[in-house]
């Protein structure tokens, strides 16, 4: 984390300590500073700027600092939420907690263990993760802390707490002033009457999101000044109007997210003289009543609703109304208010409005865009500058939540995200992320992560130094902080322009270290998924992929793929490995992944997952890895053929992405003739034909590519015919949107009917040979007809006539430009395949001659990735002589002659280039 010593003055009794006070430190003869001789106040100030873990580390450096680390002023407040707090941990802290005033913790285990802190002077307890906390543990907590003045449980619902626990709190904590509870099923009359009887100073009550509250008994708590029943259902508003008017000091009432009616609101505002502010945010009945919305006569009271100007309402509480209303909370915090009651109203409003906005953002009701853009965003940013850590946290959480439209697809509202930029929200969030308080770090990082899905926000975050901050937070020992920081880097790394900056900030190493640290650790799945996801994005960049590998990323990701059972983590680990292996000859990562122990076996195993995302990314990784010859054979040896055929067979109704990668992986493996034969014998032909019938262009390409490779083998070619593959390939060849799919389908059909299939077809059972022969004739005619149509679809009569009539290079260049299939330059053929096309130039079929010349043209166009490789193979196969014969053949189609001439010109071009370079 970033440890910054802030310049401020803290008062401890009558002493003042300057945070950046310049001290004269003694030094030895070599000029080395003796830190142990720092003044005690300076050391204590240094401790105060660190989190608890870092304080403990610093305390261990020497005996003097160990004593100073226990100073009571450093242990006034304690936040145990990021830590596992069992009885032993609590007991180890007990010696420091004698003067503890404020405590925050999470979950039922901590609730039971807290009594071991022996913090009898505790004044305030705030609890998160309340769902499993029981009456018994809450009652014991209250009994052990009789000096308690404030107790808050939420925002999680207190599902196991009943009115019995409230009675115990009332009896045990007579000094209670503030009680806020969330999600209790029923708060009955006995519990409320006990609070009225035993807690005479109880002035702030929040019974939030409860099922039922006894309205009659509530009228007996005459000490209450601020009351919230936000989100509570089954309230009888007639009883409220009758009994709560007996509350003589009630100043603030929160009925947000309830079914209160306009009539009830107007009566509350009219009849209750002590009431100053009424919060009624997101009350549907109010917002749907046009007459109520347009009514601004609130009898001198301030109403907070979605339809009112809330900043103006808050500003009206102050005598000076000339200042900017949008800065009202900031102005209040900076002024020296002598009116204690007004100060209490503002503190309650800040907490109440922030909580209401958090709940509204979580439910994300429709129709609130205007509110969020005009008021809600600015309110949240005001609350992020609160002096109360809890308010800051919840404002950041709400900011992270209100922009999200769709969790599943990581979709956010662009208008809301950019509203945050307009009002300066990015710098405020980054300032919170720099805090030493880990709760603020986590929530700020979460908000930055969510907002950064928007490209404009991501740019603003990067420009304001957010990448360095997140990379730093990713090294945190706190799991929640590290998880949210990794999520931020994951979203930022989507942008190509941010990948290099993340690497420069040390983000790659931080992410790899996170995987190493949290692998195999319970509860670390969120960290692992985000870290692997970020590395997957970074690995898509050539330079960053090298850094990922150099930082130990290959081993870390393979370890995840092998050992982690969480599907989200498996998916991102497989995606990262796929991207690492996707850079071909530009680096050695493809081979490195394949050579990592257990990598290929793990990916093959992941193709058998029940989760489509995992299967898709694992198949994609195997596809990329199969471009390396050694990997290709190793995948097959690891059971890859069987696994991928099974995957192709099972994904006919799956996503197009999964279908594409399943067919692509089989395409990659089938480059090897042995694997091609194995795929055919394993039953891989039929599922590939089914995938060829997909309505997705990308699936067309991979299925056609795989069938093209398989068709090289006559046995597989026969299987394709027998499984009904000819009509499927003909359909692709004639109607696919993808030129590559059409091209490879034509090549597959050419392989199948260049004469080699006839021999294989005759070797069958005597009862089937005739029918096969007949079906082959029909299939051959159909195939040749559509191969010819495919070739002619590239014919430009004017350009071809010009090329035929002239030997000028320009005429051939024009034809080349018109027939070139751009992506065909990425195809790499073996010597046997090139030899087969050269042989096809001698085929009696003029259609196959034209097809072979067209294919060789595509493979040798200057600038193609593998053009030089193909030229060398053609020279070895004696292609120039055959091409010259084809170009001069009197009976050959014009297209075949022109294509042959272009191939000859391509060969000459490459030969000339080779001579010049040598």
């Amino acid at each position: 984390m970033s440890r910054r010593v802030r310049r401020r003055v803290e008062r401890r009794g009558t002493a003042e300590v300057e945070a950046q006070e310049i001290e004269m430190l003694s030094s030895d003869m070599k000029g080395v500073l003796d830190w142990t001789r720092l003044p005690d106040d300076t050391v204590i100030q240094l401790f105060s700027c660190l989190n608890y873990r870092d304080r403990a580390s610093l305390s261990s450096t020497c005996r003097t600092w160990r004593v100073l680390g226990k100073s009571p002023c450093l242990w006034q407040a304690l936040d145990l939420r990021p830590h596992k707090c069992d009885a032993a941990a609590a007991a180890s802290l007990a010696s420091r907690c004698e003067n503890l005033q404020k405590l925050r913790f999470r979950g039922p285990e901590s609730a039971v263990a807290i009594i071991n802190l022996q913090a009898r002077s505790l004044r305030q307890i705030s609890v998160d993760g309340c769902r499993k906390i029981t009456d018994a543990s809450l009652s014991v907590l209250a009994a052990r802390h009789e000096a308690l003045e404030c107790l808050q449980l939420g925002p999680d619902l207190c599902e196991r707490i009943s009115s019995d626990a409230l009675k115990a709190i009332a009896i045990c904590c007579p000094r209670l002033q503030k009680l806020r509870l969330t999600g209790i099923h029923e708060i009955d009359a006995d519990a409320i009457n006990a609070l009225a009887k035993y807690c005479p100073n109880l002035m702030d009550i929040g019974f939030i999101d409860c099922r039922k509250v006894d309205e009659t008994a509530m009228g007996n708590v005459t000490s209450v000044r601020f009351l919230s029943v936000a989100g509570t259902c089954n309230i009888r508003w007639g009883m409220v109007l009758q009994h709560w008017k007996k509350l003589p000091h009630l100043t603030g009432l929160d009925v947000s997210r309830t079914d209160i009616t306009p009539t009830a609101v107007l009566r509350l505002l009219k009849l209750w003289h002590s009431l100053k502010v009424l919060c009624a945010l997101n009350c549907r009945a109010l917002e749907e009543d046009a007459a109520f919305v347009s009514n601004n006569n609130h009898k001198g009271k301030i109403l907070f609703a979605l339809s009112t100007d809330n900043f103006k309402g808050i500003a009206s509480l102050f005598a000076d109304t000339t200042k900017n209303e949008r800065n009202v909370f900031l102005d209040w915090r900076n002024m020296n208010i002598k009116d204690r009651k007004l100060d209490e109203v503002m503190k309650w409003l800040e907490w109440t409005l922030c909580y209401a906005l958090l709940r509204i953002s979580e439910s994300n009701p429709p129709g609130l865009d205007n509110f969020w853009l005009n008021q809600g965003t600015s309110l949240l940013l005001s609350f992020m500058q609160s002096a109360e850590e809890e308010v800051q946290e919840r404002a950041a959480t709400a900011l992270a939540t209100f922009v999200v439209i769709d969790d599943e697809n990581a979709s956010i509202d662009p208008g809301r995200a950019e509203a945050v930029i307009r009002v300066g929200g990015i710098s405020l969030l980054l300032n919170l992320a720099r805090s030493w308080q880990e709760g603020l770090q986590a929530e700020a990082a979460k908000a930055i992560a969510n907002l950064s899905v928007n490209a404009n926000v991501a740019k603003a975050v990067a420009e304001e130094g957010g990448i360095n901050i997140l990379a730093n937070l990713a090294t945190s020992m706190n799991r929640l902080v590290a998880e949210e920081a990794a999520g931020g880097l994951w979203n930022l790394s989507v942008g190509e322009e941010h990948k290099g900056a993340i690497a420069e900030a040390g983000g790659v190493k931080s992410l790899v270290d996170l995987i190493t640290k949290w692998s195999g650790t319970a509860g670390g799945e969120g960290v692992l998924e985000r870290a692997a996801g970020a590395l997957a994005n970074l690995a898509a960049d050539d330079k960053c992929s090298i850094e990922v590998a150099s930082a130990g990323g290959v081993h870390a990701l393979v370890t995840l793929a092998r050992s982690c059972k969480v599907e989200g983590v498996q998916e991102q680990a497989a995606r990262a490995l796929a991207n690492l292996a996707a850079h071909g000859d530009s680096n050695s990562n493809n081979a490195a992944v394949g050579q990592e122990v257990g990598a290929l076996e793990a990916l093959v195993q992941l193709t058998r997952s029940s989760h489509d995302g995992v299967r898709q990314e694992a198949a994609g990784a195997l596809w990329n890895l199969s471009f390396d010859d050694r990997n290709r054979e190793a995948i097959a040896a690891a059971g890859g053929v069987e696994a991928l055929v099974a995957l192709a067979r099972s994904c006919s109704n799956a996503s197009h992405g999964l279908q594409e990668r399943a067919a692509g992986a089989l395409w990659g493996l089938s480059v090897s003739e042995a694997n091609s034969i194995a795929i055919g014998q394993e039953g891989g032909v039929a599922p590939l034909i089914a995938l060829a019938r997909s309505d997705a262009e990308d699936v067309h390409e991979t299925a056609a590519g795989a069938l093209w490779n398989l068709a090289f083998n006559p046995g597989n070619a026969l299987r394709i015919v027998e499984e009904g593959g000819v009509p499927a390939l003909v359909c692709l060849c004639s109607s696919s949107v993808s030129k590559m799919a059409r091209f490879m389908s034509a090549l597959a059909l050419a392989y199948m009917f260049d004469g080699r299939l006839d021999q294989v077809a005759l070797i069958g059972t005597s009862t089937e040979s005739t029918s096969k022969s007949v079906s082959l004739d029909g299939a051959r005619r159909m195939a040749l007809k559509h191969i010819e149509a495919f070739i002619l679809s590239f014919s430009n009569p004017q350009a071809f006539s010009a090329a035929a009539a002239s030997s000028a290079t320009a005429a051939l260049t024009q034809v080349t430009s018109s027939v070139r299939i751009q992506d065909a330059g990425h195809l790499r053929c073996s010597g046997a395949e090139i030899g087969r096309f050269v042989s096809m130039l001698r085929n009696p079929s003029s259609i196959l001659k034209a097809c072979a010349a067209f294919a060789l043209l595509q493979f040798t166009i200057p600038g193609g990735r593998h053009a030089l490789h193909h030229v060398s193979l053609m020279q070895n196969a004696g292609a120039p002589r055959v091409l010259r014969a084809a170009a001069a053949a009197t009976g050959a189609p014009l297209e075949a002659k022109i294509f042959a001439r272009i191939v000859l010109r391509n060969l000459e071009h490459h030969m000339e280039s080779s001579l010049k370079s040598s």
Side-chain angles (χ1 to χ4, degrees), residues 22-39:
I22 300 175
E23 300 288 350
M24 296 299 293
L25 306 179
S26 64
S27 60
D28 60 20
M29 296 299 292
K30 295 180 180 180
V32 178
L33 298 178
D34 184 359
W35 291 96
T36 63
R37 300 192 64 177
L38 277 169

Side-chain angles (χ1 to χ4, degrees), residues 430 441-442 444-453 458 461-462 465-476 480-515 526-539 544 548 572 575:
L430 293 175
Q441 291 176 352
K446 181 193 295 181
I448 293 166
N450 287 357
L451 287 162
S452 294
V453 172
V461 169
I467 288 176
N468 283 293
I469 292 171
L470 290 172
N472 203 12
L473 290 179
T475 65
S476 173
L480 294 175
V481 174
E483 181 175 321
E484 300 302 346
L489 293 174
W490 186 4
N491 287 341
L492 283 166
S493 62
V494 171
E496 293 299 321
E497 66 274 26
H498 305 313
K499 288 181 168 66
I502 292 171
E504 288 174 11
V508 170
K509 184 178 186 307
S510 297
L511 292 164
V512 171
D513 288 346
L514 279 180
I515 292 177
V527 182
L528 295 174
E529 180 176 3
R530 287 161 175 79
L535 288 174
N537 288 348
L538 293 168
C544 290
V548 171
Q572 296 309 321
R575 187 169 74 91

Side-chain angles (χ1 to χ4, degrees), residues 865-880:
R865 183 176 176 183
H866 302 294
L868 285 173
H869 165 74
H870 292 143
V871 167
S872 175
L873 295 177
M874 290 177 68
Q875 295 287 356
N876 295 338

Side-chain angles (χ1 to χ4, degrees), residues 181-185 187 207-213 230-233:
L181 306 173
T182 305
I184 295 179
H185 182 76
I187 301 176
F207 294 145
I208 303 166
D209 292 313
C210 298
R211 296 280 185 86
K212 182 174 177 55
V213 174
T232 294
C233 47

Side-chain angles (χ1 to χ4, degrees), residues 212-223:
K212 182 174 177 55
V213 174
D214 191 287
E215 302 91 347
T216 303
M218 198 66 236
N220 298 329
V221 190
T222 56
S223 61

